[in-house]
Amino acid sequence: MSAKKRVGIIGAGIVGTALAYYLSEYPDMEVTVFDKGSIGSGTTAKSAGTVCLFDDSVSHEFWPVRLHGFQTYTAMEREEPGSAGFQKTGTLVVATDQGVEDFVKKGIQNAIAAGYTGEYWTDGDKIHKIIPDLTLEGVLGAGYTADDGYFDATMISNTYANKARAKGAKVMIFTEVTGVTTKGGRVTGVETNKGPFKFDVVVDASGPWARQTGRLTGIELPIWHTKAEVFILEPQPKLGYLFPVLKYPRFYARLEHEDIFICKAHLTMNLSDPQHAGIWNPDDLPLRGGAEEYFLNFLFDQLEQYYPRLLSSGKKNDWVGYRAETPDFLPILGDSPVEGYLLNVGFGGNGVIEAPSAGVDMAKYIATGEKSALIERLAFKRFETLGHNPFEA
Ligand SMILES: Cc1cc2nc3c(=O)[nH]c(=O)nc-3n(C[C@H](O)[C@H](O)[C@H](O)COP(=O)(O)OP(=O)(O)OC[C@H]3O[C@@H](n4cnc5c(N)ncnc54)[C@H](O)[C@@H]3O)c2cc1C
């Protein structure tokens, strides 16, 4: 047995590459990452990459995770401009009900305490200074910060992969893991289309493929898919102002060059609605297209109500991504029922935000055996009594 701990990671999306980097910082780790495609080519490539300081994507319980994600990527960008693809557009979070208003106000307090700016406005003129053509009927107010924006999640994955390689990790692209080998109930390695590899620990970071990957060890992971339909709209005429990340409770939008990236909000998804959720094969997703009629109707309704200006846009591009969801919409970190097979999966609509904290904590667990509060909180065992059909969950 080699003196170093040999760790194999399945998946070189933002979650797998972040883990590879943090593991490679421990001198006694020998790290290999496999991806059947290229780096960051899965869900990560379809992502909006927003890491906002106080939208409602991540509950306040996970504020340190969100803050750590934001600070990690902005530090990456400072160290090497472009390496995280940061676009500092700010964010406007619109509250249409009391719950969101309370959430945003608390989020602003957190952001200010961490040294960022943030204000909550009920004055329509202030909101219109940021986005002049929003309809404010039915809007209670909006939170605004100029400090955040969005990142390029594939760029970040490549940066993490390069940093991990510089510290000795191997990143094997176009290498599919086809089997996980075990002896006496313990993981011993993986089989791939490029041959077998021996490992002491294998980590599943395969995003929406995690159900299939888990089955390689005989585990049925409670991971479903929700559809994330994206439209790239070309406003006509052009906007003529810096469009911030715009968050409504039911949809969000951000700049994409001079166009608008628009998507249904993650938390509007219902795992028991077959239009939203199911167990699908991510390999069947086309690179472009695939949005269904229910999404178009939803989007037109929302735009008509809140931002009619965009209804006259041209459609430049569209695609569908699958978010890997668990029944409580939180990831699964740490041990699985198979010894030596660890989980870093189920990041749903927040994998960009959460990858750095998950990576740091998982690396520490693998290297030292020490479980963080986050790993305890997000352990697989919270689902052990669940059925595996989403419509029973
Ligand atoms: C439209 C959309 C918008 C989003 N917006 C945001 C956002 O604004 N902010 C945010 O934080 N999150 C957002 N998300 C969510 C975020 O993108 C994901 O949570 C994150 O990218 C998941 O990363 P991952 O590494 O777990 O999965 P993936 O990026 O899917 O990576 C998994 C990798 O595993 C590889 N793989 C699978 N099976 C195998 C195998 N057998 N062998 C080898 N390799 C394998 C795949 O090729 C893939 O590259 C969004 C998602 C979508 C779809």
Side-chain angles (χ1 to χ4, degrees):
M1 183 156 156
S2 99
K4 291 193 168 196
K5 194 179 243 180
R6 298 160 305 176
V7 184
I9 300 172
I10 310 173
I14 197 160
V15 170
T17 53
L19 173 61
Y21 169 63
Y22 295 116
L23 265 175
S24 71
E25 289 198 303
Y26 290 89
D28 48 352
M29 296 290 118
E30 191 178 293
V31 182
T32 309
V33 192
F34 300 97
D35 203 291
K36 62 183 183 176
S38 54
I39 295 167
S41 62
T43 325
T44 297
K46 298 198 164 183
S47 179
T50 59
V51 180
C52 298
L53 287 165
F54 48 74
D55 65 344
D56 64 354
S57 56
V58 178
S59 77
H60 294 315
E61 178 191 354
F62 298 103
W63 164 245
V65 171
R66 182 200 291 261
L67 182 63
H68 180 244
F70 185 69
Q71 291 180 333
T72 300
Y73 300 142
T74 46
M76 191 181 263
E77 185 75 18
R78 267 197 309 277
E79 193 182 306
E80 190 189 340
S83 64
F86 184 37
Q87 301 294 328
K88 191 176 172 186
T89 58
T91 298
L92 187 75
V93 190
V94 178
T96 51
D97 65 62
Q98 192 64 50
V100 178
E101 182 171 81
D102 293 345
F103 187 96
V104 172
K105 284 181 174 171
K106 170 75 186 137
I108 291 172
Q109 281 174 11
N110 287 339
I112 290 172
Y116 298 100
T117 62
E119 283 180 74
Y120 187 77
W121 298 325
T122 49
D123 176 352
D125 288 345
K126 287 190 172 169
I127 300 173
H128 276 154
K129 273 208 176 117
I130 305 299
I131 303 187
D133 29 29
L134 275 190
T135 305
L136 295 181
E137 218 182 289
V139 167
L140 299 183
Y144 177 71
T145 178
D147 294 339
D148 62 14
Y150 62 94
F151 296 84
D152 180 332
T154 297
M155 189 74 82
I156 292 170
S157 309
N158 278 284
T159 302
Y160 268 136
N162 287 339
K163 284 167 165 264
R165 278 194 195 104
K167 289 186 177 263
K170 260 196 236 152
V171 183
M172 300 191 56
I173 57 172
F174 302 111
T175 309
E176 180 168 0
V177 173
T178 52
V180 177
T181 51
T182 56
K183 193 171 173 192
R186 200 184 195 297
V187 162
T188 55
V190 299
E191 281 157 3
T192 76
N193 59 346
K194 294 189 181 157
F197 292 79
K198 290 205 178 308
F199 292 116
D200 302 303
V201 172
V202 171
V203 185
D204 186 341
S206 65
W209 285 266
R211 244 199 218 251
Q212 284 110 304
T213 320
R215 285 175 187 154
L216 299 176
T217 65
I219 314 171
E220 194 68 20
L221 293 173
I223 302 279
W224 290 278
H225 300 119
T226 57
K227 281 181 204 155
E229 284 108 337
V230 175
F231 276 74
I232 305 297
L233 301 179
E234 184 178 18
Q236 286 163 359
K238 291 198 185 308
L239 289 179
Y241 52 86
L242 177 68
F243 187 79
V245 177
L246 172 64
K247 296 263 177 166
Y248 272 91
R250 306 196 62 207
F251 76 95
Y252 64 96
R254 67 153 170 81
L255 210 53
E256 170 91 356
H257 307 294
E258 291 189 304
D259 303 318
I260 299 294
F261 175 125
I262 191 160
C263 188
K264 197 166 186 292
H266 176 220
L267 293 178
T268 59
M269 294 291 170
N270 175 354
L271 289 189
S272 48
D273 179 341
Q275 278 189 311
H276 295 178
I279 300 173
W280 299 304
N281 183 355
D283 288 327
D284 292 341
L285 274 176
L287 274 179
R288 296 181 58 175
E292 286 177 36
E293 193 153 331
Y294 91 94
F295 175 70
L296 284 173
N297 295 337
F298 162 84
L299 192 60
F300 283 129
D301 276 1
Q302 289 287 305
L303 291 181
E304 216 155 48
Q305 206 175 339
Y306 297 117
Y307 198 22
R309 158 83 152 88
L310 278 191
L311 285 171
S312 58
S313 305
K315 187 185 82 176
K316 251 198 178 165
N317 201 352
D318 66 296
W319 62 81
V320 178
Y322 289 156
R323 302 173 178 115
E325 313 281 14
T326 66
D328 61 6
F329 293 94
L330 294 170
I332 309 177
L333 303 186
D335 297 323
S336 80
V338 175
E339 209 187 331
Y341 191 75
L342 302 189
L343 304 170
N344 201 14
V345 296
F347 287 83
N350 296 315
V352 180
I353 298 170
E354 294 165 349
S357 283
V360 168
D361 288 18
M362 286 289 290
K364 189 173 193 183
Y365 179 46
I366 293 166
T368 68
E370 197 181 310
K371 275 188 196 171
S372 66
L374 190 68
I375 291 186
E376 297 279 9
R377 168 72 176 86
L378 299 176
F380 174 76
K381 62 175 188 268
R382 75 190 191 276
F383 299 127
E384 266 170 357
T385 55
L386 267 187
H388 294 300
N389 178 330
F391 311 113
E392 287 170 4

